[in-house]
Amino acid sequence: MTVPVIAIDGPSASGKGTVAALVASRLGFHYLDSGALYRLTALYARLDEIELDDEEALAEAALTLPVEFRDSQVWLAGEDVSEEIRAEVIGMGASKIAALPAVRAALLERQRAFRQAPGLVTDGRDMGSVVFPDATLKIFLTASAEERADRRYKQLINKGESANLQQILDDIEARDARDAARPVAPLRQEPDAKRLDTTELTVDQAVETVLGWYQSLVVSGK
Ligand code: CDP
Ligand code: CDP
């Protein structure tokens, strides 16, 4: 029997990570935050002074990245970098290197290795289109750019960091535009993905919607 996969793709700060982790926990499935792998590669490049256009060196780094996902934290070479990789400068770097085909190829098998029983919930940009094209359920999770900027703003304020709403909105729109314009694995809704607009939804409502869709697929035996 093939291991079920729920693939959640969508733009920055739409709630993919939050919703995917909660759905995984409710189903007892594994969870893969694929964006973390791109962020880790960008962080590694920064620490190792690799230029963000050195495709060969970046692909090598992506392939051999000493990463661990443990205790809900992300570790790079034995160091907890969970907070560090969330910085927008790393998100921007991730978006730049994510446009390089050799980097995406290097991360492909690493991502597929997370497909383990009893199931996987994963989020990113190309989980349903490229990494798990046979996913059981594909979702395009989105929200208005203003709502997404507001969510990021609140996340930063809650962490005690300073934040500028307009700057966050500009950064989100710039990153989405780059992710949507690239020729390889662009950010877009696939024809076989269900659209979930969470602009007016709470996290719980979004989680229940995903679980409801998944249960109806399981019941109908698809
Ligand atoms: O992974 P992604 O960048 O798409 O988003 P995230 O890091 O999960 O951040 C989304 C933030 O918006 C979190 O603080 C959530 O609590 C909040 N939020 C949400 O995810 N979904 C809603 N329907 C409402 C709020
Ligand atoms: O949390 P947020 O949605 O802001 O970003 P993320 O999911 O952590 O991804 C960071 C960057 O990595 C994105 O802007 C994409 O350029 C890239 N990425 C990708 O190309 N493909 C994926 N499957 C996941 C992330």
Side-chain angles (χ1 to χ4, degrees):
M1 213 181 84
T2 55
V3 175
V5 174
I6 299 178
I8 303 182
D9 292 306
S12 180
S14 55
K16 303 178 302 295
T18 303
V19 171
L22 287 168
V23 169
S25 150
R26 288 277 293 274
L27 294 171
F29 281 11
H30 301 281
Y31 166 55
L32 166 65
D33 169 5
S34 69
L37 291 171
Y38 288 91
R39 286 175 180 268
L40 283 159
T41 308
L43 175 63
Y44 187 91
R46 198 179 164 90
L47 298 175
D48 222 35
E49 295 180 8
I50 302 172
E51 296 292 334
L52 293 189
D53 58 359
D54 187 344
E55 187 163 1
E56 201 180 323
L58 289 166
E60 177 63 22
L63 201 61
T64 56
L65 213 55
V67 51
E68 258 182 292
F69 293 93
R70 171 163 55 82
D71 311 326
S72 304
Q73 308 296 324
V74 184
W75 307 76
L76 182 63
E79 233 186 276
D80 182 356
V81 293
S82 318
E83 283 297 316
E84 224 172 325
I85 59 166
R86 294 296 147 205
E88 189 49 33
V89 61
I90 300 296
M92 243 2 143
S95 173
K96 282 185 188 148
I97 63 168
L100 304 172
V103 171
R104 304 201 72 85
L107 290 177
L108 195 59
E109 290 310 319
R110 295 193 78 152
Q111 294 172 86
R112 287 186 176 152
F114 283 83
R115 186 175 198 164
Q116 285 176 21
L120 175 69
V121 186
T122 182
D123 78 284
R125 302 293 184 288
D126 63 341
M127 294 298 101
S129 55
V130 177
V131 184
F132 302 107
D134 65 337
T136 323
L137 173 61
K138 300 182 187 180
I139 292 168
F140 188 78
L141 195 81
T142 189
S144 72
E146 290 71 23
E147 171 65 20
R148 292 186 285 117
D150 195 50
R151 289 177 187 174
R152 269 288 182 269
Y153 178 80
K154 286 182 182 143
Q155 278 180 318
L156 291 170
I157 296 297
N158 287 341
K159 279 198 275 181
E161 292 177 25
S162 62
N164 176 315
L165 188 57
Q166 187 58 48
Q167 182 64 52
I168 293 173
L169 181 60
D170 292 347
D171 286 349
I172 278 184
E173 289 185 329
R175 187 140 63 85
D176 288 349
R178 184 187 291 115
D179 290 348
R182 69 186 178 213
V184 279
L187 165 70
R188 65 160 175 243
Q189 182 179 353
E190 291 297 309
D192 57 350
K194 282 179 177 290
R195 188 179 189 86
L196 181 54
D197 188 326
T198 70
T199 308
E200 307 284 341
L201 299 186
T202 62
V203 170
D204 280 354
Q205 287 171 322
V207 168
E208 292 305 329
T209 304
V210 175
L211 286 170
W213 283 340
Y214 182 68
Q215 292 308 340
S216 57
L217 280 177
V218 171
V219 169
S220 69
K222 284 191 185 140

